[in-house]
């Protein structure tokens, strides 16, 4: 891939921010590959996210990190300015926009396709104005129902994530008799609100919300039944990257694996999800998941050939 930027700290490029050269045409959702599972890179411009909080404290460092993911082959860069981990503090829309809008603008100019990870309709609107092509709302419309009107008016794709409660209460709401069936039913109920607001079927992407009001066993159960999510008739996004249930699985001597030690397990989830036909996976470490997607795609092709 032709580089749009000089590597930081090399030659004349001494700024921590790669120097953007000629802007590329804005990437379009319709141009995304359709012959394999897509890889969405996570870019948190936050001080308190569970995995990479504080790693990108300024727009310059966040843009540089986003460009690295883009050049590594990420199909989508998902930019967020508010932590969604359990117990996280709320962030005002003004502060959230201060964090993410310059990053979105720069990545879009570089030719990346960007999604905005937000629960706030005003932030989503500002991000779309800045060039974001997807709205990724983990609230499931439980925080700001007016988000539905924005999605209908903007006509951009919308990730509908399953979640009960909010960051402070969701862990106490992981009570299911049939987690896959209930998640599908609850997503369908919110999906009907989107339809009522004028959102079209092909705009909606569903996410089972792994880790959001689900315990470890329920997360594994959902991954086992991705086909039930597909029965809704929408693209499926899987976001398992570095989540706590993977750390629990990889516990050694009573110590859960740290977020960064969960990347190999994340790539395994990517391979399984891709082989089962997921539209995209959302990951922190792009390279291993791209490799996993290629393996799954090749295996699927071999299966079809026979």
């Amino acid at each position: 891939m032709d580089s749009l930027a000089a590597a930081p700290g090399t030659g004349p490029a001494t700024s921590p921010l790669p120097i953007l050269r000629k802007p590329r045409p804005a990437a379009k959702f319709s141009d995304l590959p359709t012959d394999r599972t897509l890889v969405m890179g996570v870019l948190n411009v936050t001080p308190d996210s569970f995995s990479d909080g504080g790693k990108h404290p300024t727009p310059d460092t966040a843009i540089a990190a986003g460009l690295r993911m883009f050049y590594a082959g990420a199909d989508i860069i998902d930019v967020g300015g508010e932590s969604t981990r359990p117990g996280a503090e709320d962030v005002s829309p003004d502060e959230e926009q201060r964090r993410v809008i310059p990053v979105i603008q720069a990545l879009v100019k570089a030719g990346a396709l960007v999604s905005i990870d937000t629960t706030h309709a005003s932030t989503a609107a500002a991000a779309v104005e800045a060039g974001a092509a997807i709205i990724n709302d983990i609230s499931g419309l439980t925080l700001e129902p007016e988000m539905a009107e924005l999605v209908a008016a903007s006509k951009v794709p919308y990730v509908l994530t399953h979640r009960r409660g909010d960051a402070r209460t969701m862990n106490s709401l992981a009570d299911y008799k049939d987690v896959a069936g209930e998640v599908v039913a609850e997503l369908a109920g919110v999906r009907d609100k989107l339809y009522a607001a004028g959102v079209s079927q092909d705009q909606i992407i569903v996410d089972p919300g792994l880790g959001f009001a689900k315990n470890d066993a329920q997360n594994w159960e959902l991954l086992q039944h991705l086909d039930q999510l597909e029965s809704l008739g929408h693209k499926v996004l899987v976001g398992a990257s570095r989540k706590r249930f993977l750390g629990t699985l990889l516990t050694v001597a009573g110590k859960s694996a740290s977020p960064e030690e969960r990347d190999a397990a994340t790539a395994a989830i990517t391979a399984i999800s891709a082989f089962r036909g997921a539209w995209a996976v959302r990951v922190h470490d792009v390279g291993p998941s791209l490799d996993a997607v290629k393996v799954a795609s090749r295996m699927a092709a071999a299966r079809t050939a026979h």
Side-chain angles (χ1 to χ4, degrees), residues 9-112:
T10 61
T14 57
S15 166
L17 172 63
I19 300 170
L20 296 182
R21 295 175 181 170
K22 185 178 179 180
R24 294 183 177 182
K28 297 179 181 179
F29 185 86
S30 58
D31 292 335
L32 287 169
T34 58
D35 59 346
R36 60 167 173 82
T37 295
L38 304 176
V39 175
M40 175 187 283
V42 179
L43 181 59
N44 290 317
V45 193
T46 60
D48 56 345
S49 291
F50 80 95
S51 174
D52 54 0
K55 288 189 175 181
H56 317 307
T58 68
D60 283 5
T61 55
I63 292 164
L67 288 172
R68 285 193 294 271
M69 278 191 277
F70 177 47
Y71 299 150
D75 299 294
I76 304 163
I77 308 296
D78 191 42
V79 180
E82 180 177 20
S83 175
T84 58
R85 64 177 174 78
E89 295 295 323
D90 292 340
V91 173
S92 71
D94 286 346
E95 172 61 17
E96 183 183 34
Q97 291 166 39
R98 185 193 68 78
R99 295 174 181 179
V100 301
I101 297 304
V103 179
I104 292 169
Q105 290 172 332
L107 294 178
V108 168
K109 285 181 181 178

Side-chain angles (χ1 to χ4, degrees), residues 1 3 19 24 29 33-34 54 57 66 72 77 98 137 147 173 209-210 214 222 239 264 267 301 305:
M1 176 183 296
S3 175
I19 300 170
R24 294 183 177 182
F29 185 86
T34 58
I77 308 296
R98 185 193 68 78
D137 176 11
M147 184 77 83
L173 300 174
L210 299 174
K214 288 100 179 167
L222 280 169

Side-chain angles (χ1 to χ4, degrees), residues 126-153:
V128 170
E129 179 68 22
I134 303 170
I135 298 171
N136 181 15
D137 176 11
I138 62 95
S139 76
L141 297 181
T142 58
L143 291 185
E144 296 187 2
E146 61 267 30
M147 184 77 83
E149 298 175 6
L150 170 65
V151 175

Side-chain angles (χ1 to χ4, degrees), residues 43-282:
L43 181 59
N44 290 317
V45 193
T46 60
D48 56 345
S49 291
F50 80 95
S51 174
D52 54 0
K55 288 189 175 181
H56 317 307
T58 68
D60 283 5
T61 55
I63 292 164
L67 288 172
R68 285 193 294 271
M69 278 191 277
F70 177 47
Y71 299 150
D75 299 294
I76 304 163
I77 308 296
D78 191 42
V79 180
E82 180 177 20
S83 175
T84 58
R85 64 177 174 78
E89 295 295 323
D90 292 340
V91 173
S92 71
D94 286 346
E95 172 61 17
E96 183 183 34
Q97 291 166 39
R98 185 193 68 78
R99 295 174 181 179
V100 301
I101 297 304
V103 179
I104 292 169
Q105 290 172 332
L107 294 178
V108 168
K109 285 181 181 178
L113 192 140
V114 175
S115 62
I116 175 63
D117 178 2
T118 185
T119 62
H120 301 296
S122 62
T123 298
V128 170
E129 179 68 22
I134 303 170
I135 298 171
N136 181 15
D137 176 11
I138 62 95
S139 76
L141 297 181
T142 58
L143 291 185
E144 296 187 2
E146 61 267 30
M147 184 77 83
E149 298 175 6
L150 170 65
V151 175
S154 66
K155 301 188 184 304
V156 301
Y158 174 80
V159 180
L160 169 60
T161 303
H162 180 272
R163 186 179 76 165
R164 292 175 175 175
D166 56 27
R168 291 176 297 278
T169 63
M170 60 184 176
N171 279 349
S172 65
L173 300 174
D175 183 18
Y176 305 87
K177 293 181 180 177
D178 171 13
V179 63
E182 291 174 55
V183 165
V184 168
E186 291 170 21
L187 283 171
V190 181
R191 188 257 316 266
D192 289 345
K193 295 179 182 179
L194 291 166
Y195 283 166
V199 177
S200 64
Q201 179 179 358
D202 60 3
Q203 282 180 264
I204 300 172
I205 301 158
V206 294
D207 182 333
L210 299 174
F212 297 141
K214 288 100 179 167
N215 61 32
D216 289 1
Q218 291 159 352
N219 290 323
W220 290 113
E221 184 74 9
L222 280 169
L223 285 169
Q224 182 65 28
H225 294 287
L226 289 179
D227 58 320
Q228 291 192 36
L229 269 80
E230 292 171 353
S231 71
L232 288 166
H234 306 288
K235 300 177 180 69
V236 175
L237 171 65
V238 176
S241 184
R242 296 184 178 176
K243 290 195 173 177
R244 184 171 54 188
F245 74 103
L246 296 179
T248 302
L249 175 70
L250 303 176
T251 294
V252 175
K255 183 180 179 181
S256 175
S258 68
E260 291 80 4
E261 294 172 327
R262 304 169 192 172
D263 285 335
T266 297
I269 297 293
T270 290
I272 293 167
S273 300
F275 190 69
R276 292 183 174 175
W279 169 74
V281 292
R282 183 178 181 272

